[in-house]
Amino acid sequence: MDWEITVHGPPGARHTVLLLPGGLSTAEFYAEVAAQPTLADIRLVAATLPGHGGSPPPDDPTVEACARAAAKLAADYGSDVVVGYSMGANVALEMAATEGFTGPIVLLAPSFSTPDEMLTLRVLDRLALVLGHLPYAAMLGFTDVALNAARVPPERRNVLGREVRKNNPRQLRRLFRAYLHYLRVHGSVAERLCAAGVPAWVVHAERGDGGLTAAERRTLTACPHTTVVTVPGTSWFLPNEKPELVADLILGALP
């Protein structure tokens, strides 16, 4: 897979963290996190998921294939921690579940099952069966509406909006279909995370970025290696709206 990568921090840093953004997003969505002074001495490698944000599409669109490629990327950069947001969190989870990466992982707004995922995405996937890529083209047209909910300066909303509009609707249809298939096949990947046995932080806002079913919350709370973090209030874009929190989680996860 071809990765579009942005590296922040000193090349000779003692620690390296791999940052995986979510669907539609690019490495630019971690700029607020990378700007945190507490992370100045850490090398942060932000890697756009292949096929998203207009990046080169993968031959194999599955979450499993992306996780294998991301595990190799983590190894190539000597990553100590992997942080994933939204779909990137599911890729990080799968890296741990297959032992492609055995270090700590921070999962920001992951979906452990289809009920966790936004209804909009599930509806788009259904509509695409009849209308092809057109529903995803329409979705990109509403990018600015969604970003207006983000508590970031207007100039940053413009930058992030331009990144999202780079997406190819035909590729999105293919990528999101594979992603939803992954969730449906497993039913819930909460047990999969627990069985991986790696230190993991699962982070959701009270409202906005999805959530957990009651059964998933019980599973994760009972898992000795997993910490569930609930962010008060509403957040749709955790890395951009809560970068201080993400930085603190990274520092806490470092060995």
Side-chain angles (χ1 to χ4, degrees):
M1 291 187 180
D2 293 325
W3 295 90
E4 292 190 352
I5 294 171
T6 302
V7 179
H8 305 268
R14 179 182 175 189
H15 294 296
T16 296
V17 177
L18 177 63
L19 307 174
L20 302 175
L24 303 176
S25 306
T26 67
E28 178 63 32
F29 276 70
Y30 276 109
E32 280 81 4
V33 173
Q36 294 305 301
T38 56
L39 301 179
D41 294 333
I42 298 170
R43 184 170 63 158
L44 303 173
V45 180
T48 301
L49 299 184
H52 293 270
S55 62
D59 293 330
D60 185 342
T62 62
V63 172
E64 293 86 350
C66 189
R68 289 192 295 271
K72 183 179 184 303
L73 190 67
D76 289 345
Y77 277 94
S79 303
D80 301 291
V81 174
V82 174
V83 179
Y85 170 62
S86 189
M87 189 184 293
N90 287 85
V91 172
L93 187 157
E94 191 62 19
M95 292 166 66
T98 56
E99 299 183 358
F101 181 77
T102 57
I105 58 175
V106 178
L107 309 180
L108 307 172
S111 292
F112 290 93
S113 59
T114 50
D116 296 341
E117 191 49 74
M118 288 190 306
L119 177 61
T120 302
L121 183 57
R122 288 178 275 160
V123 170
L124 287 171
D125 183 57
R126 295 274 185 172
L127 290 174
L129 292 174
V130 178
L131 301 175
H133 70 281
L134 295 178
Y136 289 101
M139 176 185 67
L140 292 178
F142 288 98
T143 294
D144 291 334
V145 176
L147 283 170
N148 279 340
R151 291 190 296 276
V152 296
E155 59 271 20
R156 280 298 291 162
R157 286 201 294 268
N158 292 335
V159 170
L160 299 177
R162 286 194 294 271
E163 292 296 294
V164 172
R165 285 189 290 273
K166 291 178 182 178
N167 281 281
N168 181 321
R170 287 183 171 82
Q171 292 303 327
L172 291 182
R173 179 195 180 193
R174 180 170 170 256
L175 293 163
F176 281 118
R177 175 157 289 271
Y179 165 65
L180 290 172
H181 175 73
Y182 167 80
L183 292 178
R184 292 182 185 119
V185 164
H186 288 288
S188 175
V189 291
E191 289 279 5
R192 194 166 176 79
L193 172 61
C194 191
V198 303
W201 287 259
V202 177
V203 189
H204 274 288
E206 287 180 325
R207 296 177 299 277
D209 64 2
L212 303 169
T213 66
E216 289 165 351
R217 187 173 291 276
R218 286 194 298 270
T219 295
L220 297 172
T221 301
C223 184
H225 307 287
T226 302
T227 301
V228 178
V229 179
T230 302
V231 179
T234 301
S235 179
W236 294 93
F237 300 92
L238 280 171
N240 310 97
E241 296 178 300
K242 304 292 183 181
E244 300 92 348
L245 169 66
V246 177
D248 287 345
L249 289 168
I250 289 172
L251 292 172
L254 285 171

